[in-house]
Each structure stands twice: as C-alpha cells, then as structure tokens.
Amino acid sequence: HEANVLHVLQERWQQGCPYTYAGPTLVAVNAFKQLPRLFTEEKLTEFTNTEADLPPHIYAVASKAYAALRSEIHRQNQCIVVSGESGAGKTFSANHLTHYLSHVASSTTTFDVMARILAA
C-alpha cells in the first residue's frame, strides 16, 4: 500500500497540489518552496461559507471544523491536529489554519478575532 500512497502523492504534486486526502485525513507534502497561488484571497473565499465537497486543502480542513462548530443541529467542539517531523511545515499549516479561521470568524462576529489571537 505504501507504493500506492507515494504514487498518489507524487501525481498530486506534479499537478501542483501538495494536498491529498487519505480518508478524512489531509496529507500535506512540504514543498520547500513558496506556492502563493494556493493561499490567495480568492482561494480563501472559495473555501468560505460553502457546503460543497471541498478539494484537498488546509482551508478545507478549517472550513469543515468551523462549520461543525457553528452547526445549529450538530454543534460540536473541534480539534485540528497538525503533526509531522521537524521542518515538515507544521507552523506553516497552523498559520494558514489560523488565518482562515480568523477570516471566517471575523465575518460573523463584531470583534477582531485576528487581533485577539495575535495578542494571546
């Protein structure tokens, strides 16, 4: 199975996407280079307030967690685990998760979520 996983990761990478789903888990390949087209304001908007099936992306993970947290029917506390070896991109991923969550939370509340997070 390992060869299949590596093959899928390589195919996705060659398509310019470092993200792949493995069941409900998002697998990210550290690009060791900037991929600015993956983190534009347009991309942020694409993953905001949608119930569509989302392609593999760190914003998709944040979007699903936020939707479950805000659900009127099945509201649940949420936890996102970011793991990996040293240099794997955990801080990078956590920063983008925080950016997404502060963006959507700020659009639904009257206080500046990003300022509160950065002040903590």
Side-chain angles (χ1 to χ4, degrees), residues 2 14 30 37 59 61 75-76 105:
E2 184 177 334
Q14 289 172 344
N30 188 339
R37 67 176 185 75
Y59 292 161
V61 172
R75 184 171 299 168
Q76 295 179 344

Side-chain angles (χ1 to χ4, degrees), residues 1 7 11 19 26 28 31 39 44 46 52 59 64 67 70 92 96 101 106 116-118:
H1 296 285
H7 176 73
E11 278 188 351
Y19 299 113
L26 180 71
F39 303 103
L44 191 65
E46 176 185 333
Y59 292 161
K64 289 177 186 175
R70 303 266 311 161
F92 180 84
H96 282 287
L101 292 170
S106 292
R116 290 184 61 198
I117 290 170
L118 293 175

Side-chain angles (χ1 to χ4, degrees), residues 69-109:
L69 186 65
R70 303 266 311 161
S71 171
E72 294 295 324
I73 300 169
H74 303 296
R75 184 171 299 168
Q76 295 179 344
N77 291 337
Q78 298 295 303
C79 174
I80 299 172
V81 176
V82 180
S83 70
E85 296 180 356
S86 178
K90 296 178 298 295
T91 301
F92 180 84
S93 294
N95 286 341
H96 282 287
L97 285 166
T98 303
H99 179 71
Y100 177 89
L101 292 170
S102 66
H103 172 78
V104 296
S106 292
S107 68
T108 59
T109 59

Side-chain angles (χ1 to χ4, degrees), residues 40-73:
T40 62
E41 286 301 313
E42 292 79 21
K43 189 64 78 170
L44 191 65
T45 302
E46 176 185 333
F47 287 89
T48 302
N49 297 325
T50 181
E51 294 184 22
D53 250 353
L54 299 172
H57 195 285
I58 197 72
Y59 292 161
V61 172
S63 178
K64 289 177 186 175
Y66 189 74
L69 186 65
R70 303 266 311 161
S71 171
E72 294 295 324
I73 300 169

